[in-house]
Amino acid sequence: AEMSDDIRVDRYRGMVRIRTFEAAVLREYHADKTPAWDIGAGQIPGEMHLAAGQEPVAVGICEHLRRDDAITGPHRPHHLAIAHGIDINKMMAEIFGRTTGLCKGKGGHMHLFDPETHFSCSGIIAEGYPVACGQAMAFKREGSGRVSVAAAGDGAANQGAFHESLNLAALWNLPVVFVIEDNDWAISVPRAASTSVASNADRAAGYGIPGVRVEGNDVDAISEVARQAIERARDGQGPSLLEIHTVRLWGHFEGDAQAYRGAELETLDERDPIPAYAERLKAAGVLTDADVASIADEMSGEIEAAIEFAKSSPEPAGSDALDHVFA
């Protein structure tokens, strides 16, 4: 598909926005932890899974979603949430565990929920796939043309929930797009050691639906494939499976020593999709060095303001522990 210069600049801006967010969270997460691996300590408690390197997936997919479409993410969710338009201040406050957060500070970074953008995520592997089927079933019944997207890592493709969801979505012709973010590692297990096929996209054939694998971590290529799958779902033609080969530049979680990656660690900077995309746009005359610097400054200002908002917000009171539960 033809791409205007404005579209490509917007994609670059979207990826920089996500990376700036993740880098700021990384800094704040480690700022006051002593020792550094004590996940229960500090102003951001709990584990932290950051998505540096996977920005093209989120930007390429979410640019084709409407605000009333739904998306479910995995335990590494920030890039998808940001690309789908979640409120940055509320999201940052939730990560800091503050009452102004999306879940009033009680969910944390792996359990973001936003009814305004229909975004949710979970620390349970592949949990979002059946949820997306339920959303898609509701959308189909209301005849609204809305679609749902379920994204998870390559390890999730070996869970029963993944296969059950693909089967049900195909059987009922649901408007859902399943996305596998293949960053080569299911925590510390390489795909070749855990998965019986070379590409999880091939598994789509077992359910009679289209399956496409996208190489290169290229936001333009991802966007085109996502456009086709989302339009197909919106037009009533049923589900698709997309497997996108991306890269996880940082550890599976913060504090991950990553010894299992070996020599790969030395080449990760070369695989960073953001400077690579910037160079491509500069070579095409779409961006200048001044534009790159200006975008970086703009995003830094926005994210630092969100951190200040979070830090200045109150923590939940112990007396609120039982509020907002079902029973």
Side-chain angles (χ1 to χ4, degrees):
E2 292 186 7
M3 294 175 289
S4 70
D5 290 349
D6 287 345
I7 288 175
R8 290 190 286 180
V9 171
D10 283 346
R11 288 172 184 169
Y12 178 73
R13 287 169 55 86
M15 292 193 292
V16 172
R17 190 171 189 237
I18 294 167
R19 179 67 61 84
T20 305
F21 185 97
E22 297 291 66
V25 170
L26 174 68
R27 181 194 71 212
E28 297 296 326
Y29 184 77
H30 290 291
D32 57 354
K33 282 183 169 51
T34 306
W37 46 262
D38 187 356
I39 66 173
Q43 59 190 346
I44 302 180
E47 288 194 352
M48 181 59 61
H49 308 81
L50 301 174
Q54 298 182 196
E55 297 91 351
V57 182
V59 171
I61 290 170
C62 292
E63 73 173 58
H64 301 290
L65 295 179
R66 305 186 325 212
R67 190 170 178 83
D68 62 346
D69 290 329
I71 182 168
T72 65
H75 57 283
R76 193 182 313 284
H78 303 163
H79 57 318
L80 297 161
I82 293 170
H84 193 45
I86 208 165
D87 186 292
I88 290 285
N89 287 346
K90 292 180 180 179
M91 181 173 165
M92 189 70 80
E94 185 61 37
I95 291 171
F96 274 77
R98 306 304 172 99
T99 58
T100 53
L102 293 167
C103 300
K104 303 185 183 300
K106 299 177 182 179
H109 105 98
M110 283 192 285
H111 306 100
L112 304 170
F113 176 70
D114 180 26
E116 292 187 11
T117 59
H118 308 281
F119 179 86
S120 62
C121 60
S122 172
I124 306 302
I125 304 302
E127 184 270 348
Y129 286 122
V131 172
C133 284
Q135 293 166 334
M137 182 171 67
F139 297 161
K140 182 176 180 178
R141 292 185 66 177
E142 69 186 15
S144 61
R146 298 164 69 188
V147 304
S148 65
V149 172
D154 49 288
N158 292 325
Q159 296 289 321
F162 168 84
H163 294 275
E164 293 165 10
S165 297
L166 264 64
N167 182 67
L168 192 67
L171 184 66
W172 290 352
N173 199 46
L174 299 179
V176 57
V177 177
F178 301 104
V179 178
I180 299 170
E181 294 183 278
D182 177 14
N183 61 26
D184 295 320
W185 296 97
I187 307 181
S188 60
V189 179
R191 185 179 64 252
S194 64
T195 304
S196 61
V197 292
S199 169
N200 280 302
D202 294 343
R203 289 173 157 172
Y207 303 100
I209 65 175
V212 180
R213 179 174 170 88
V214 184
E215 296 286 358
N217 208 20
D218 179 349
V219 65
D220 295 338
I222 294 166
S223 174
E224 176 58 19
V225 170
R227 180 190 65 79
Q228 295 176 25
I230 291 169
E231 287 182 358
R232 183 176 184 275
R234 211 181 294 284
D235 290 343
Q237 299 179 52
S240 302
L241 172 63
L242 309 181
E243 182 177 52
I244 301 169
H245 191 203
T246 184
V247 62
R248 192 191 76 209
L249 294 177
W250 301 341
H252 170 71
F253 58 89
E254 283 311 304
D256 179 8
Q258 304 190 79
Y260 53 87
R261 298 184 83 167
E264 180 192 9
L265 291 173
E266 301 174 5
T267 64
L268 287 178
D269 287 347
E270 301 170 11
R271 299 172 63 190
D272 191 330
I274 295 179
Y277 196 60
E279 289 303 315
R280 190 194 312 176
L281 296 188
K282 287 192 289 184
V286 176
L287 277 183
T288 66
D289 288 334
D291 294 329
V292 169
S294 176
I295 291 171
D297 288 344
E298 177 190 352
M299 298 308 168
S300 178
E302 179 189 16
I303 301 307
E304 293 304 321
I307 288 176
E308 182 57 33
F309 172 82
K311 288 182 175 180
S312 63
S313 299
E315 296 181 348
S319 58
D320 297 337
L322 299 181
D323 290 349
H324 308 107
V325 295
F326 292 109

